Amino acid sequence: MTMGQVLSINNRHSCVHGIHMTSCRNFLFLFFFAVILFPVRSASAADTLSIDIFGPGQTAVNLYQAAPMFEEKGKGLPEPASSLDDHIRANLAFVPFFNQISAAELLEGGRLTGYRGDDVDFKKLRLGKVDLLLTTGWVAPYGVELRAYEVFTGRLVVGKAYTLAGPDQTGLVATRFCSALMEALTGRGGFFTSRIAFARKTGRIKEVFSVSAVGGNARQETDLKGISTSPAWSVDGRRIVFVHMDGTTHRLGVVRPDQGEVELHGVPGNTCISPAFLPDGKLTVSLNPEGTPNIYRVDETFDIEAPLARSWAIDISPSFDLAGTRMCFVSSRLGNPHIFLKDLRSGETRRITYDGTYNTSPALSPDGKLVAFSRQTDDGHRIFVHELETGRERQVTFGPGNDEEPTWSPDNYFLAFSSSRTGTYKLYVTTRHGDKAKRIPTGQGSATTPAWGPAVSE
Amino acid sequence: MKGKMYILGAMLLVGLMLSTGCAKKSVGPGDGTAGSATGTGYMGQEAETQRQAREAREAEALRERQLAEQRRAEAEAARNRAAGVEQVVQEIQDARIYFNFDSFELSAEARTILQKKAELLGAHPELNVLIEGHCDERGTEEYNIALGERRAKAAYEFLILLGVDSTRIQIISFGEEYPADPANTETAWAKNRRAEFKIRK
């Protein structure tokens, strides 16, 4: 984005920047005091543009995160300052349209005279081609104000104030602020506050874990030994379903992360593959009591209620849109595995992939418009995105190794996937446009079968 | 001369008795003629009783020897049988069958191996088998669980076709979770696309 372009701001954020924060945990006491700051220049019609993250292409936003300042001049920065600064920087590195500008690239080392808009010389920043300025002002040892300004107009995009209950809350504050910033710029939040469930394998043991989309706050969801894999979230985020294998049996597992409960259930047949929740909370899973793996809807007692995809061959990996009207899945009914789409109202099924001979792990975007899937190419598996309306396909990951198992963020913009590009399977994030993939820290062992959870409401 | 004639007569009689296999102990006509030999007759009976007792003891000893032998033979047979079962278990477990990429078709070699397993299972109705389906890591995880299921199922159906009772066979797919060879080479992948057989008694 050049200086002449107007950085997008949603109108609703251009007046009063009082956004309520509610504490999500008991231990967290986030005070919010409305930071009422009026824009330097009133928004004109041209200012109402947003960053169109869904457009055919994107322009990078040059972002400068200024060094934190302390209200009480002369005193050293409070203890959590550098940690918060690092967390914000690491979070924003996941957003591909942010191009982070270093202080060294700017006049006078990017030093600011204050952290409030009135005290900032935006002209200097404009010369440095900065589009978006982030300031951090510490007002107390555990009190901080975070702001984002559009440099061209000097307008405040987001302003928030937080009081930390302890030094370990910098990650949470960074997540909240970055989420608000994304929401303000793109109209979509949820990326920073949603969680990704995945299977982590060390040795011969695989357990289900979940982690925030930017890799923080990892949590082990199962401790069953054997193999626990293929997690999928319920739409309300209160249940994770998964497949468990011990030495002789497959079972269906359900985790309730809030309660720390894990249940295992026997299923008809001897094979249990790719469970998934329908938006209405019903469970679907591929089972083989009729001879081959078919996709069924099951009832509360895990008995078969109705078949959703049934053939002489393999039918697995159902994925639904948020409306629950469409299901894409994998079937080998034509010999090789291909992606199919079923209209759940008419019952009509059509084939989606025609290229390649091994197309698997489909993920229908929550808006039901795009199917991401992995296709085996001569160079290994790669993620492709298929637009249902036009039939256009686009490769969005480029290896090396294998890129598999895509999953959509709740905003239909980001894609997480597993890749063996470093030799071990780990999780990565890209976008529907195929932006440079960034690794999600998941700790020891291999990480596979990512499943993006719902956006957590603030 | 007369005495010689008697002796001859007695010998003839004994010979006749022996030749006809007559075990009758009643006094024959010749006994009367050997009237003077009454004392000898008594002595003969005693000898006979002793002989019978000896024979009975010998028969008893023989029976005991035979029994001991039988017991030894039985124990050895049991040992052999146990060793045989061990061997059968090992034979069934050691021979894995292999598949092509994204395939669950049984090769001619796989069929031969399964035939042998069916014979062994037929001879040992006390053995049950768990068939594990495995895949190489090149496919994707969920599809590989399905493919592993197809592979185990193909072996299961072939064994049933060969007369193994379906209640004796259980299947499970492990997908790509437990590679036989973790290397990232063609050779390793070929080893990993397999069905394994685990005996459950």
Side-chain angles (χ1 to χ4, degrees):
Chain A
M1 182 174 275
T2 61
M3 293 252 305
Q5 287 177 285
V6 176
L7 187 68
S8 61
I9 296 168
N10 282 331
N11 253 348
R12 61 199 152 108
H13 293 296
S14 61
C15 261
V16 178
H17 298 277
I19 302 159
H20 293 284
M21 304 285 299
T22 52
S23 63
C24 80
R25 295 271 159 82
N26 283 341
F27 63 76
L28 173 69
F29 304 98
L30 284 177
F31 291 78
F32 178 82
F33 50 91
V35 182
I36 301 171
L37 294 162
F38 291 92
V40 173
R41 236 170 48 176
S42 62
S44 69
D47 292 335
T48 61
L49 287 170
S50 290
I51 291 178
D52 182 10
I53 58 174
F54 305 116
Q58 303 172 58
T59 45
V61 173
N62 290 335
L63 179 146
Y64 174 55
Q65 183 179 346
M69 281 176 260
F70 196 22
E71 180 72 26
E72 293 179 49
K73 297 242 167 20
K75 280 194 177 176
L77 282 167
E79 187 199 344
S82 69
S83 164
L84 179 64
D85 206 46
D86 292 345
H87 274 297
I88 292 174
R89 203 175 301 280
N91 280 358
L92 296 178
F94 276 90
V95 183
F97 53 77
F98 285 148
N99 173 33
Q100 298 200 30
I101 304 270
S102 71
E105 295 172 58
L106 299 173
L107 285 173
E108 296 164 7
R111 262 188 305 278
L112 301 185
T113 46
Y115 58 86
R116 291 189 187 87
D118 292 345
D119 306 325
V120 174
D121 181 0
F122 286 105
K123 231 181 284 173
K124 260 192 328 202
L125 295 170
R126 268 180 237 149
L127 285 172
K129 296 200 186 301
V130 175
D131 299 311
L132 194 69
L133 167 71
L134 299 190
T135 67
T136 307
W138 286 88
V139 294
Y142 285 99
V144 65
E145 294 176 17
L146 296 167
R147 293 178 177 80
Y149 291 97
E150 179 199 34
V151 170
F152 185 66
T153 59
R155 283 191 310 127
L156 184 73
V157 180
V158 174
K160 281 187 171 283
Y162 305 91
T163 298
L164 285 71
D168 56 337
Q169 292 195 327
T170 52
L172 194 52
V173 168
T175 295
R176 297 289 178 87
F177 176 72
C178 292
S179 185
L181 179 62
M182 275 288 280
E183 171 95 34
L185 291 175
T186 69
R188 311 282 180 131
F191 170 72
F192 292 103
T193 54
S194 55
R195 293 181 74 78
I196 295 174
F198 63 100
R200 203 171 97 170
K201 194 176 191 185
T202 41
R204 286 170 67 85
I205 292 172
K206 210 173 205 179
E207 301 286 1
V208 173
F209 280 70
S210 72
V211 74
S212 91
V214 291
N217 198 12
R219 191 169 67 208
Q220 183 169 351
E221 304 287 4
T222 66
D223 187 12
L224 297 165
K225 311 298 179 243
I227 300 289
S228 298
T229 190
S230 279
W233 296 86
S234 62
V235 168
D236 62 8
R238 301 179 72 171
R239 286 181 293 169
I240 300 171
V241 67
F242 63 98
V243 169
H244 182 259
M245 304 172 187
D246 60 14
T248 58
T249 320
H250 285 191
R251 278 181 295 179
L252 196 60
V254 180
V255 181
R256 287 182 171 76
D258 294 351
Q259 295 152 38
E261 281 177 12
V262 181
E263 300 164 5
L264 289 177
H265 302 275
V267 288
N270 46 35
T271 303
C272 176
I273 312 169
S274 62
F277 281 104
L278 275 158
D280 64 6
K282 285 262 182 165
L283 196 56
T284 67
V285 61
S286 183
L287 304 170
N288 72 343
E290 293 182 282
T292 61
N294 293 324
I295 301 166
Y296 300 95
R297 194 175 68 224
V298 296
D299 63 19
E300 289 75 12
T301 60
F302 303 93
D303 280 331
I304 287 172
E305 205 168 73
L308 292 180
R310 182 157 59 174
S311 76
W312 65 275
I314 293 167
D315 293 283
I316 54 162
S317 303
S319 171
F320 303 93
D321 64 347
L322 207 51
T325 56
R326 289 172 157 182
M327 171 180 84
C328 60
F329 63 100
V330 171
S331 180
S332 63
R333 58 187 65 181
L334 302 175
N336 298 119
H338 277 291
I339 312 295
F340 288 77
L341 180 79
K342 182 175 182 176
D343 183 318
L344 294 175
R345 285 169 300 194
S346 69
E348 202 178 300
T349 296
R350 71 180 169 98
R351 181 178 171 182
I352 297 298
T353 54
Y354 285 88
D355 289 339
T357 55
Y358 196 105
N359 295 298
T360 57
S361 38
L364 191 54
S365 60
D367 63 12
K369 290 178 179 170
L370 303 171
V371 184
F373 61 94
S374 48
R375 165 173 295 154
Q376 196 176 39
T377 70
D378 292 342
D379 302 322
H381 293 276
R382 296 289 180 265
I383 311 291
F384 286 73
V385 171
H386 178 107
E387 193 177 21
L388 287 172
E389 201 175 298
T390 60
R392 272 189 309 211
E393 262 170 28
R394 181 172 176 181
Q395 184 176 341
V396 295
T397 72
F398 303 89
N402 291 312
D403 299 332
E404 302 171 24
E405 304 163 338
T407 178
W408 288 101
S409 63
D411 59 14
N412 307 288
Y413 176 64
F414 290 98
L415 277 168
F417 60 99
S418 66
S419 173
S420 64
R421 56 189 60 191
T422 59
T424 307
Y425 279 91
K426 297 285 183 186
L427 303 188
Y428 296 82
V429 182
T430 182
T431 67
R432 59 199 284 159
H433 304 301
D435 286 292
K436 192 171 183 302
K438 190 159 166 57
R439 170 134 157 229
I440 304 172
T442 51
Q444 270 192 324
S446 68
T448 53
T449 60
W452 212 309
V456 177
S457 52
E458 293 287 314
Chain B
M1 178 76 188
K2 211 172 187 179
K4 274 184 185 169
M5 287 293 284
Y6 281 138
I7 292 167
L8 188 71
M11 281 171 70
L12 276 169
L13 269 170
V14 169
L16 192 73
M17 275 168 68
L18 283 174
S19 69
T20 54
C22 176
K24 257 173 119 178
K25 287 191 176 87
S26 58
V27 177
D31 282 341
T33 52
S36 61
T38 322
T40 356
Y42 173 76
M43 296 263 295
Q45 266 183 358
E46 198 168 77
E48 180 67 15
T49 313
Q50 280 173 1
R51 190 182 57 82
Q52 281 175 4
R54 196 176 61 241
E55 276 177 1
R57 275 200 306 277
E58 277 171 9
E60 181 65 24
L62 183 68
R63 249 200 321 279
E64 266 171 24
R65 269 203 306 280
Q66 280 172 341
L67 271 173
E69 204 140 289
Q70 200 179 332
R71 274 197 297 273
R72 268 202 304 279
E74 271 171 10
E76 198 178 321
R79 269 199 304 279
N80 284 344
R81 266 203 307 280
V85 168
E86 292 281 295
Q87 214 169 352
V88 165
V89 166
Q90 195 153 7
E91 210 173 325
I92 292 175
Q93 295 196 148
D94 283 357
R96 299 169 174 183
I97 59 173
Y98 297 95
F99 298 86
N100 288 328
F101 179 70
D102 190 24
S103 167
F104 51 92
E105 202 180 301
L106 297 173
S107 65
E109 199 190 342
R111 282 163 197 265
T112 311
I113 292 170
L114 288 170
Q115 240 150 14
K116 183 67 193 163
K117 288 190 202 302
E119 282 165 26
L120 293 170
L121 287 168
H124 292 272
E126 75 278 16
L127 300 181
N128 294 331
V129 65
L130 171 72
I131 309 176
E132 301 177 354
H134 296 270
C135 303
D136 70 25
E137 54 153 20
R138 278 185 300 168
T140 48
E141 196 175 311
E142 287 181 350
Y143 193 76
N144 272 343
I145 301 177
L147 186 61
E149 187 268 355
R150 296 283 77 205
R151 285 175 178 165
K153 204 63 164 285
Y156 167 88
E157 277 163 4
F158 197 67
L159 288 179
I160 288 172
L161 208 68
L162 296 174
V164 182
D165 195 312
S166 65
T167 57
R168 295 174 57 198
I169 319 174
Q170 198 185 339
I171 68 163
I172 186 168
S173 170
F174 286 122
E176 60 184 75
E177 298 300 339
Y178 300 129
D181 183 342
N184 204 354
T185 62
E186 278 296 342
T187 325
W189 294 331
K191 276 188 216 164
N192 295 338
R193 295 189 298 265
R194 70 201 190 277
E196 286 192 31
F197 301 82
K198 300 280 167 70
I199 290 299
R200 302 161 65 72
K201 286 177 196 173

